[in-house]
Amino acid sequence: MKVAITCDYLLGRSHYVEIIENLCEVFPEAPIYCFAHKKGAILGHIEQRSIKSTYLSNIVSTEEEFYQHSNKIPSLAKNLFVSCEYDLIINISKGFSQGLAKCETTKLITYLYDLDLDSKIKKTFMQKILSPMVFSWIKKSLGQADKVLSSREDLLTTLHDLKNTEVIPPPFRVSDYALFPKDMFKHHFFLIEAKGLNINEATNLIEWMKEWNYSFQFIGPDAHLSSIKSNFPENTFFGDRCSGEHAPVLASSKALVTFNTEDFPALALGTLATGRPVILAKPLSKWLSGLGVDYISHFDKAEIKKALDNVISDSVLETQKLRAHVMEYHDIKFKAQMKRTLDKAFHEIHPHDHTHSSDCSQCK
């Protein structure tokens, strides 16, 4: 079975790209088709394969810029044609790439990662006029897929008229985050994810943490806070580093606090994997809930203080149960579920061929 992989864009490291990487491991020969590709922005084996894109690759370099051109996607999709030599297209979509042109005989399986376009598309006057057309096109193109897989049940609820659907939680590299012995660290400070906070919010949070006499450190991408970083000691901002460096810092914290609702909560999952609790913005309840997970409904001083005070003490913390949250997103489990779905699609295409399906040694 010849397979092609399609996606919305390849513009930089993200959890969305990690999903694409997981499928590239299953299909190392599959070419990639996308609307925009920033060459060199993604290190690793993705860049080593054939990648076909549109002229958007020359004019956008970030996700935000990509969504500014969302009204052009339906017409661009007609001109980015996936060759008829492929039996199956595996599409990892954030709303658009399931609409790429293909042969009628080519099977299409779409993995719908996200569809929160209202918060991403900046509504210029033209966008406001054209966005209903874009949303209509998205819904129609999703209906043309032979099967729609979804990262969450609530995405399918918004697309209730789709017939052949299945929920497969997205992958997370659990093996990057060890469960450290509980007594290995002092757990005396809170970690705060920098992404999701603007300058005023970050400044207020710093002042409040000092007022409450809570030790803290920011973690993750923080370039948007560069104007205030010089006002504080250098170790106030740990920055964005590899998982190998993040893991011990997460494990040594009292808890992680995050207001980042735009992304899959990778840092929160990493924290839980190391046996530490998390405090999340309420919208992230769509990804995480249960023991060791608390929420803040909005950025409010009293509510934040209450959540910090309620963090589970080390004496009663059951680290194995916190780590259990992450198992649902285990990348090996994801590959195994995808493999079963793709094997079924292969046998539907070639019912009398029992010699091959996808080959993923990590999934067995």
Side-chain angles (χ1 to χ4, degrees):
M1 176 170 63
K2 294 199 68 174
V3 174
I5 294 173
T6 59
C7 59
D8 286 22
Y9 52 78
L10 294 168
L11 298 173
R13 298 297 311 175
S14 67
H15 184 253
Y16 178 59
V17 170
E18 285 185 23
I19 297 175
I20 299 167
E21 285 179 329
N22 271 265
L23 290 171
C24 285
E25 290 172 5
V26 180
F27 298 99
E29 304 299 323
I32 298 177
Y33 293 76
C34 64
F35 292 104
H37 170 222
K38 183 179 178 182
K39 291 183 179 180
I42 302 170
L43 300 177
H45 54 82
I46 282 185
E47 296 282 1
Q48 307 305 314
R49 68 185 61 212
S50 170
I51 300 176
K52 298 182 181 180
S53 61
T54 73
Y55 75 87
L56 282 185
S57 296
N58 300 320
I59 59 176
V60 305
S61 58
T62 66
E63 179 181 321
E64 290 74 19
E65 291 174 350
F66 174 83
Y67 284 108
Q68 289 174 13
H69 295 271
S70 58
N71 59 299
K72 302 171 185 174
I73 297 297
S75 61
L76 287 174
K78 295 178 182 178
N79 298 315
L80 187 58
F81 181 74
V82 181
S83 171
C84 294
E85 67 183 287
Y86 298 105
D87 303 298
L88 174 66
I89 297 171
I90 304 170
N91 172 50
I92 307 93
S93 175
K94 295 184 80 174
F96 297 106
S97 50
Q98 74 282 343
L100 292 179
K102 69 178 186 69
C103 285
E104 288 186 11
T105 56
T106 304
K107 288 276 187 177
L108 171 63
I109 296 179
T110 283
Y111 183 78
L112 185 60
Y113 174 69
D114 190 15
L115 198 59
D116 187 22
L117 302 180
D118 275 331
S119 64
K120 293 180 173 65
I121 297 176
K122 295 182 178 179
K123 295 293 183 67
T124 61
F125 177 73
M126 187 58 68
Q127 291 280 17
K128 288 179 180 178
I129 294 175
L130 297 177
S131 61
M133 178 271 292
V134 174
F135 280 96
S136 176
W137 175 84
I138 288 171
K139 199 167 184 179
K140 182 179 178 180
S141 57
L142 279 169
Q144 293 172 347
D146 296 281
K147 188 177 184 70
V148 175
L149 310 173
S150 172
S151 62
R152 310 188 308 272
E153 185 66 44
D154 64 292
L155 286 180
L156 296 179
T157 302
T158 62
L159 302 163
H160 54 83
D161 52 343
L162 294 177
K163 304 299 181 185
N164 193 4
T165 62
E166 181 182 347
V167 175
I168 298 181
F172 177 74
R173 296 190 186 279
V174 181
S175 59
D176 287 351
Y177 299 88
L179 185 61
F180 294 83
K182 191 187 296 186
D183 58 355
M184 188 172 179
F185 303 105
K186 293 182 179 180
H187 308 125
H188 64 287
F189 69 100
F190 286 97
L191 273 176
I192 303 169
E193 184 170 7
K195 193 168 183 180
L197 293 169
N198 59 36
I199 293 291
N200 289 336
E201 290 169 339
T203 301
N204 286 335
L205 198 50
I206 289 171
E207 292 176 356
W208 297 339
M209 296 295 279
K210 289 181 176 179
E211 176 186 330
W212 301 329
N213 200 29
Y214 278 143
S215 297
F216 64 94
Q217 186 176 44
F218 287 85
I219 190 170
D222 56 22
H224 61 294
L225 302 179
S226 57
S227 63
I228 63 170
K229 288 172 64 175
S230 60
N231 300 333
F232 305 99
E234 187 176 346
N235 63 358
T236 303
F237 293 86
F238 184 76
D240 187 29
R241 311 191 191 186
C242 68
S243 55
E245 292 180 276
H246 277 170
V249 178
L250 297 173
S252 63
S253 70
K254 189 175 182 67
L256 174 77
V257 183
T258 179
F259 297 91
N260 176 17
T261 60
E262 295 182 5
D263 302 321
F264 180 75
L267 273 178
L269 285 170
T271 305
L272 290 166
T274 65
R276 304 308 304 168
V278 295
I279 300 170
L280 314 174
K282 187 64 176 177
L284 290 177
S285 60
K286 65 188 178 185
W287 294 112
L288 287 169
S289 62
L291 180 69
V293 181
D294 200 1
Y295 305 107
I296 298 172
S297 60
H298 58 288
F299 193 86
D300 173 77
K301 182 179 181 180
E303 191 171 350
I304 294 171
K305 178 65 161 59
K306 181 180 179 181
L308 297 179
D309 290 344
N310 287 341
V311 169
I312 302 174
S313 66
D314 288 345
S315 60
V316 297
L317 195 65
E318 298 182 73
T319 56
Q320 289 285 359
K321 290 186 177 180
L322 266 63
R323 186 174 175 83
H325 285 296
V326 191
M327 294 302 110
E328 180 183 6
Y329 301 105
H330 204 300
D331 53 322
I332 293 178
K333 180 180 178 181
F334 171 80
K335 290 176 186 176
Q337 289 180 296
M338 290 296 291
K339 180 179 182 295
R340 287 193 294 270
T341 299
L342 299 175
D343 282 350
K344 185 177 179 181
F346 170 78
H347 291 303
E348 289 174 354
I349 298 169
H350 303 291
H352 304 298
D353 188 340
H354 302 287
T355 61
H356 165 64
S357 59
S358 56
D359 179 19
C360 175
S361 59
Q362 299 179 60
C363 302
K364 299 174 182 176

